[in-house]
Amino acid sequence: MKAFTVSRLRHTGNKILLSGRKKLYQTLRANGLPRSILFIVGCQRSGTSIMQVVFMHDLHTRLFGEFSELSSNDRKFGIRLNSLELVEKEFSKVKASFIVTKPLVESQNILQLLNYFPNSRAVWMFRNYRGVALSNTKHFGIHNGIEDLRPIVNHEPHNWRSEKVSRHVQETISKYFSEDMNPHDAAVLFWFARNSLYFDLELYKDPRVLLCSYEDFVLEPEKNVKNIYRHVGQVYPKKNITTAVHSNSRKNGRDIELSPEIENLAQKLQDKLEVAYRAQTVPS
């Protein structure tokens, strides 16, 4: 317990020191450089947090997490973005040339974000549905998948989970949903709903949106992060900033039990994502 506390204190201290270094660096180096904005989107528990940790180690970046000044008006959960005008007001205060933010609950609105903010790009992170389902139920609770699906089934218009969900996805989820369903089936169906947006919104046609595979990312982090920097139009730092990335959880979820129909549904979308991922090109 004592060792754990010391480790936590050291980690917190390092974050404070890094934050201080970045503020000083950006204050001294602020010279009107063109601003780039990166939106990290996709389904929760797909590796977006470790991606954000990577960008944290670049002195040129200013990070906004899921809970930040950008969502200060969401009094209930603190995650829905403020109006785009207020988000821009927060961005205008930033001295860093590279802004990175992770509005996962706004993934369905990524086109509006990209259209509003000049020189912005997005990364859509996807991970194997089994790993996401296991991580979802471990992190948020065993019944979280059911909680996530209920707003979709009930057509709740102001819930981020059901926004822009296609009729096909809504009908598919309603077909399998029940309050006592297999929790891992439910988490996979939510993965299906969120990642279906990538195709339903035709994001594969938009060069501003880069698809990123979690499994590839953790195996070759530096290569993938360099691709993202090229995509955004920023210069990769001189030092490797991906040392915190590991591949230990890449095959998590292999042993969870899923219904054959739901597994088949998810696997088809997984295959479709993999094909789109391999087909895309990144500026050299």
Side-chain angles (χ1 to χ4, degrees):
M1 185 67 178
K2 184 178 179 181
F4 176 76
T5 303
V6 171
S7 176
R8 285 287 297 273
L9 287 172
R10 185 181 295 115
H11 177 69
T12 302
N14 288 338
K15 285 185 69 175
I16 294 172
L17 285 172
L18 178 60
S19 177
R21 284 181 62 206
K22 291 180 74 165
K23 286 181 180 178
L24 178 61
Y25 179 86
Q26 291 167 13
T27 298
L28 295 174
R29 294 293 297 272
N31 56 1
L33 289 172
R35 183 183 70 181
S36 296
I37 301 170
L38 177 66
F39 297 105
I40 302 174
V41 291
C43 183
Q44 287 77 359
R45 313 313 299 165
S46 295
T48 56
S49 293
I50 189 60
M51 180 179 284
Q52 199 169 34
V53 168
V54 168
F55 289 111
M56 180 179 69
H57 287 89
D58 180 355
L59 292 176
H60 296 86
T61 62
R62 169 66 165 92
L63 268 64
F64 292 93
E66 288 176 272
F67 305 90
S68 74
E69 303 92 320
L70 304 184
S71 52
S72 58
N73 287 345
D74 182 357
R75 304 297 184 188
K76 191 171 184 180
F77 299 110
I79 54 175
R80 293 304 308 258
L81 283 181
N82 298 339
S83 69
L84 298 184
E85 292 82 3
L86 289 178
V87 171
E88 171 57 31
K89 188 175 180 180
E90 286 298 328
F91 284 170
S92 68
K93 302 175 186 177
V94 174
K95 294 181 178 179
S97 59
F98 188 11
I99 296 174
V100 180
T101 182
K102 191 179 75 164
L104 292 183
V105 299
E106 307 293 347
S107 297
Q108 68 279 4
N109 298 316
I110 188 57
L111 290 176
Q112 287 90 325
L113 290 169
L114 292 171
N115 290 336
Y116 188 88
F117 293 100
N119 206 26
S120 63
R121 297 290 184 272
V123 169
W124 187 284
M125 194 81 166
F126 76 99
R127 181 183 182 183
N128 184 275
Y129 55 90
R130 284 181 164 270
V132 170
L134 180 63
S135 183
N136 184 316
T137 52
K138 276 190 171 183
H139 188 80
F140 296 118
I142 190 64
H143 297 296
N144 188 65
I146 295 170
E147 299 290 333
D148 282 335
L149 295 182
R150 194 179 297 119
I152 300 174
V153 173
N154 293 337
H155 300 274
E156 295 182 19
H158 302 300
N159 192 300
W160 60 268
R161 299 166 181 83
S162 53
E163 288 178 355
K164 293 187 172 63
V165 169
S166 70
R167 184 173 182 177
H168 166 70
V169 169
Q170 198 278 335
E171 290 175 349
T172 299
I173 288 172
S174 296
K175 173 184 175 182
Y176 294 110
F177 179 78
S178 71
E179 292 289 344
D180 59 352
M181 69 185 297
N182 173 353
H184 289 131
D185 277 350
V188 168
L189 280 178
F190 186 64
W191 172 95
F192 171 78
R194 295 307 279 172
N195 281 293
S196 289
L197 288 165
Y198 179 79
F199 295 102
D200 292 338
L201 299 176
E202 298 188 336
L203 300 181
Y204 58 91
K205 294 181 179 179
D206 196 319
R208 297 172 298 178
V209 183
L210 183 70
L211 197 58
C212 184
S213 161
Y214 168 79
E215 285 75 20
D216 276 5
F217 177 76
V218 297
L219 281 178
E220 296 185 286
E222 191 169 16
K223 173 187 173 183
N224 280 276
V225 174
K226 284 181 177 179
N227 282 346
I228 295 171
Y229 271 80
R230 283 194 290 271
H231 175 62
V232 176
Q234 286 283 328
V235 177
Y236 185 78
K238 292 181 180 179
K239 68 171 186 175
N240 181 7
I241 58 175
T242 65
T243 54
V245 181
H246 61 79
S247 59
N248 299 353
S249 58
R250 186 169 60 92
K251 296 183 179 180
N252 282 3
R254 288 178 297 178
D255 298 327
I256 63 172
E257 291 187 10
L258 298 175
S259 303
E261 279 186 274
I262 290 177
E263 170 130 50
N264 182 57
L265 181 76
Q267 188 59 55
K268 286 182 178 178
L269 180 55
Q270 179 78 37
D271 292 342
K272 194 174 178 181
L273 286 164
E274 296 285 354
V275 169
Y277 172 65
R278 291 192 295 270
Q280 70 185 353
T281 57
V282 180
S284 57

